Amino acid sequence: MPSIEPTETSRAFLEAVQPGEVKTGTVAGFEREDVLVDLGGSVAPHRAVGRVPGHELSWRRVEDPAEIVDTGQAIEVEVIGVDWRREQVLLSARACEDRALRGFLVSLKRGKTVTGRVTDVRNFGVFVKLHGEPADICTGYSGTGFIRVPELSWSHFDDASEVVEVGQQVTVEVLDVDTRRGQVAVSLKALTEDPFIRLADRIGDVVSGYITKIVPIGVFVRVTEGIEGLLHKSDLPAESGDAPETLIEVGKAITVRIVEVDLHHHRVRLEPVRES
C-alpha cells in the first residue's frame, strides 16, 4: 500500500486516540500477518490508519489472518498505541474477541478485593479462577487471575506450593487488568499487614533466631515469623584456627542485633551479639 502523507485531520486523530479505548473499523486488507483496518473514511480518506499485528488478531493460532477475517468485514478493536513511523494506530482484536471475558475484565478495578479458587501452582506464579469470570475462557489459562511469586506472601518461602495449593479458596486484591492477555494480576499478600513495618520499630533490639540459609555473602537468620535478616560473612563467629563454616550450620541458634530495616527493598541487616 503506497504511503500517503497524513492530513492534518488524521494526524489530530492519531494524537487523540487513547490506549484502552475500543473502536469499530473495517478490514481494509492484509500486510503479511498483519491486518489493516479502516477506522473511518472521514478521518483519513484512502488511508487505513489502523493496524492489528498478527499476534493481536485472535486467541486462536492461525497461519493466515484471512482465516479469521475478510476484507470489508467490520471488526471491533482496542487501541494499544500509535506507530508514528507508519502513522497508524496499533490495535488488538483479540482483546475484544471474547465479549464475555472482556466484560468481566473491565468490571474489575485496581484495589478491588475479589475471591477465587487456585487452579494451578507453578514455579513462576499461581493461576486463580476468579468468582464471576466466564465459565469457558479462550485464553488457554486455567483462570483469569494470576499471582506472581513476589505477591504471594511477605514470608520467605522456596516454592509457591508452600503458600497455596490447588483447590484452595483465596481472597486477593486486583493490581492490574490486561485485556490483551485476558488476565488479572492479583495479590495475596496485599491484604495482609507488612511485617517489616513493625520490625522497623525494633532497630537496636537483640533477638534470638536460627540460621535458615548459608550464602556466599553470609547467612540468613530468621528473626521473627516470616522475616529473615542478613548477617554478613565478615561478622560470622570464628575462633582462632577455625573456619567460620565449622561454627555455623542451618538450624543453628544465634543471637543477633537488628541494625537496619529497609522498608523499600524489604531487607534486614543484622550484627552478631558478642558474649562478654
Side-chain angles (χ1 to χ4, degrees), residues 147 151-153 163-164 168 170-173 186-192:
I147 312 174
E151 293 298 332
L152 283 169
S153 175
V163 183
V164 294
Q168 180 179 338
V170 293
T171 300
V172 291
E173 180 178 304
V186 294
S187 173
L188 190 61
K189 77 175 186 181
L191 298 178
T192 60

Side-chain angles (χ1 to χ4, degrees), residues 1 12 34 86 137 147 155 181 212 232 236 238 246 257 265:
M1 180 174 293
D34 295 354
R86 289 191 176 107
I137 56 177
I147 312 174
S155 301
R181 289 178 58 85
T212 58
H232 196 269
L236 291 177
T246 66
R257 178 178 286 105
H265 296 98

